[in-house]
Amino acid sequence: MYLPSVHAEEHIPTLRQLIRDFPLGVLTTAIPSTTGPFIQSSHIPFLLDIGDESSETEMGTLRGHMARVNPQSKAMIEGVSQKQKQNVNNNGSEAAAPSNDFLTEEVLVLFTSPVQHYVTPKFYTETKPTTGKVVPTWNYAAVQAYGRAKIYFDTRSEETGAFLSQQIADLSQYAETSIMGYTGSSSGAADPANPANPAPWQVSDSPEKYIGLLKKAIIGIEIEIDRLEGKFKMSQEMGAGDRAGVAEGFRGLGTETAAAVAELVKQRGDMKKGSR
């Protein structure tokens, strides 16, 4: 990620929050494969596990799953299998069936905020009228997470079954409550704060055999993050007058996205002045 200092976000809790607010990540791998391209990407919703939420430095672990028939899944399984075969050859021991393991290659997951927008030069009310030396750009916020990925693909393994059961239950619970806002009681009792609020959907609402079949059709991915990079490009490179013009211009568009961009432009401008 290109990170000019004026746009770089190094506050780890802020990066963790963007991931949780917008958990649909783009998993990118670069793995030699006999069945697919070298570089592959897939959109996958991720959970972010943090041991100590008060930590200013902990980057955490990402958990996700994807279809076993996805060519990227096949490449990752092939990568793990080749690694294990190589280890067997090097050690001179008897080959065993491939099992869950870490990929040799680093993986990348990109998370992007939907609060993004084209910026017209017309918003630069300070510079445009005086010099005209302005051009269009795009405001956006994104986080890139790098790390080592363990692939849970061995359907005979209790470890795989346990991981996938926990993963789909936790992801469903998070999405139903934090994204959909369904916080009613599973017993059917009304939420005191919102009597009309329904209970969240749970994996147990589906037939057990059906879920068992679906689990055989997916693989699990667990990424130990060792590097997080964040970028909030929200007109911080402009002077105060132009930033004010950008914020005002977005407010004038009258859309929810534009209003959210305007607020971020103001927040990031205030942070620039305060030098957090």
Side-chain angles (χ1 to χ4, degrees), residues 53-276:
E53 293 289 350
S54 66
S55 171
E56 296 277 316
T57 59
E58 184 181 352
M59 291 176 281
T61 300
L62 292 170
R63 280 190 288 139
H65 66 274
M66 58 195 296
R68 185 176 290 269
V69 296
N70 184 321
Q72 191 174 14
S73 295
K74 295 179 180 179
M76 291 189 291
I77 293 172
E78 184 180 358
V80 168
S81 300
Q82 289 298 326
K83 169 189 171 184
Q84 293 177 342
K85 288 179 182 178
Q86 185 63 45
N87 289 339
V88 167
N89 291 337
N90 291 340
N91 296 330
S93 55
E94 185 177 346
S99 59
N100 305 331
D101 202 350
F102 283 89
L103 285 169
T104 299
E105 298 83 1
E106 182 181 56
V107 303
L108 159 68
V109 186
L110 170 64
F111 298 91
T112 305
S113 167
V115 182
Q116 48 84 22
H117 211 292
Y118 168 79
V119 184
T120 173
K122 294 182 179 182
F123 288 170
Y124 299 133
T125 54
E126 183 175 67
T127 303
K128 183 178 181 296
T130 56
T131 69
K133 295 180 178 180
V134 290
V135 293
T137 189
W138 209 283
N139 279 356
Y140 63 92
V143 171
Q144 290 184 348
Y146 299 82
R148 300 183 65 228
K150 184 173 182 178
I151 312 304
Y152 294 84
F153 67 94
D154 185 356
T155 56
R156 303 159 304 171
S157 165
E158 291 184 5
E159 181 186 43
T160 298
F163 178 89
L164 291 176
S165 293
Q166 189 70 46
Q167 160 63 18
I168 60 178
D170 290 350
L171 182 60
S172 298
Q173 178 69 13
Y174 179 78
E176 290 284 316
T177 57
S178 297
I179 297 177
M180 298 303 297
Y182 297 154
T183 58
S185 170
S186 58
S187 65
D191 178 356
N194 184 2
N197 191 26
W201 179 88
Q202 301 179 69
V203 175
S204 58
D205 292 342
S206 288
E208 186 176 349
K209 288 185 178 180
Y210 174 69
I211 297 299
L213 288 173
L214 290 184
K215 283 169 57 179
K216 293 181 180 179
I218 60 177
I219 66 168
I221 305 162
E222 187 175 40
I223 302 170
E224 298 178 357
I225 303 174
D226 56 36
R227 189 163 89 255
L228 272 180
E229 295 180 353
K231 185 173 184 177
F232 282 71
K233 184 182 176 297
M234 290 290 163
S235 302
Q236 304 98 308
E237 73 279 8
M238 306 304 294
D242 284 331
R243 289 200 307 273
V246 169
E248 186 60 29
F250 277 122
R251 292 190 192 99
L253 293 181
T255 67
E256 289 186 12
T257 297
V261 174
E263 182 60 28
L264 269 178
V265 168
K266 182 180 183 304
Q267 289 178 7
R268 289 283 150 172
D270 291 344
M271 289 168 61
K272 177 183 177 181
K273 288 184 293 184
S275 299
R276 183 181 65 190

